[in-house]
Amino acid sequence: METPTSARRLDRLPKAHLHLHFTGSMRHSTLVELAEEHGIHLPQALVEEWPPRLRATDERGWFRFQRLYDIARSVLRRPEDVYRLLREAAEDELAAGSGWLEIQVDPSGYAALFDGLTATLELVLDAARAAEEATGVPIGLMVAANRTRHPMDARALARLARQYAGRGVVSFGLNNDERRGRAREFEAAFRIARRAGLLSAPHGGELLGPRSVRECLDDLDADRVGHGVRAVEDPHLVERIATQGVTLEICPTSNVGLGVFQKLEHLPLRRLFDSGVQIALGTDDPLLFGPRLVEQYRIAREVFGFSDAELAELARMSVRGSGAPDAVRKELLSGIDAWLAAPPERDGS
């Protein structure tokens, strides 16, 4: 039997990262440095108490989480800050063994600084290309609408995403507090995106239960669901997700950090996997939660007892659920097979 000291190294397991927010990908050291450069005061929770204690299952907790996120976003003032963020994110993915990064961004959050929605998206796309050239990690963008804003804003973003489909944008998402916007309100925006060939990847089933996930499937024709963990409360829904091949982007440390589950052991990762659900492990916002992608795979191994064969299957699921080009998928799947065929290493990191 494989043991943690003889198991294969998780940082050498090829994988795709499908759930990473733009601002939330920032390194903590970069946040502190940029805040000092721009004269921005950071609250204690983002300095001495990092990673901050978060619990967003009530309105007050979500407001605090969102406030910290908005403060972090405010340190990205110049184009060079955007280039730095994406280069460092790609470097972190390279260190984690990622061969595809799908990072989600809402251009609306930066449009006032960078001359509008189109200019902002083009800046991020150019920064992604530069990061890919520097690290070799292919990057695709998810343009993500905000549930707390008017559905017309989402339509504008969908039309923008459509213009760049095939030119770096691969998916369309919907994020923020799912208690403040029903999926059906954004159906028109997702219809625009899907007609452009973009994957549908809304958040759902994190702060709300199975109904939220079901609406993502029914109203937004979701290919993936961000989080989706509370689908486990409805066995029939879990069966539907497995049958339809919908990928759930599960972020263990985020789910615990936001109070969705009290302990990692409570996360239904094993139950969903054993039910045949496609799963892509993600980090959500490592700036606020700490651990990055390798640690999510380590949790699967050490907390839920995933064997290396099962970890390899998790990695395959992440690749299959991605918007990566066929050539990238083929290379990653081949690399996963090679990782599993190789003998375990003593390191096991």
Side-chain angles (χ1 to χ4, degrees), residues 302-317:
E302 297 179 359
V303 177
F304 297 100
F306 277 61
S307 66
D308 279 6
E310 291 173 323
L311 292 168
E313 185 58 21
L314 281 175
R316 292 188 192 99
M317 289 174 174

Side-chain angles (χ1 to χ4, degrees), residues 208-266:
L208 291 180
R211 186 190 74 179
S212 174
V213 178
R214 194 176 297 107
E215 290 178 352
C216 288
L217 303 182
D218 293 341
D219 300 323
L220 306 181
D221 199 13
D223 300 292
R224 306 198 309 251
V225 176
H227 302 295
V229 285
R230 292 189 58 189
V232 77
E233 298 168 17
D234 182 343
H236 295 292
L237 178 59
V238 171
E239 183 178 0
R240 177 184 175 187
I241 291 169
T243 300
Q244 291 185 202
V246 174
T247 300
L248 300 186
E249 304 162 2
I250 295 181
C251 308
T253 52
S254 165
N255 285 165
V256 174
L258 290 179
V260 179
F261 300 100
Q262 296 303 308
K263 298 180 180 179
L264 283 169
E265 292 84 354
H266 298 166

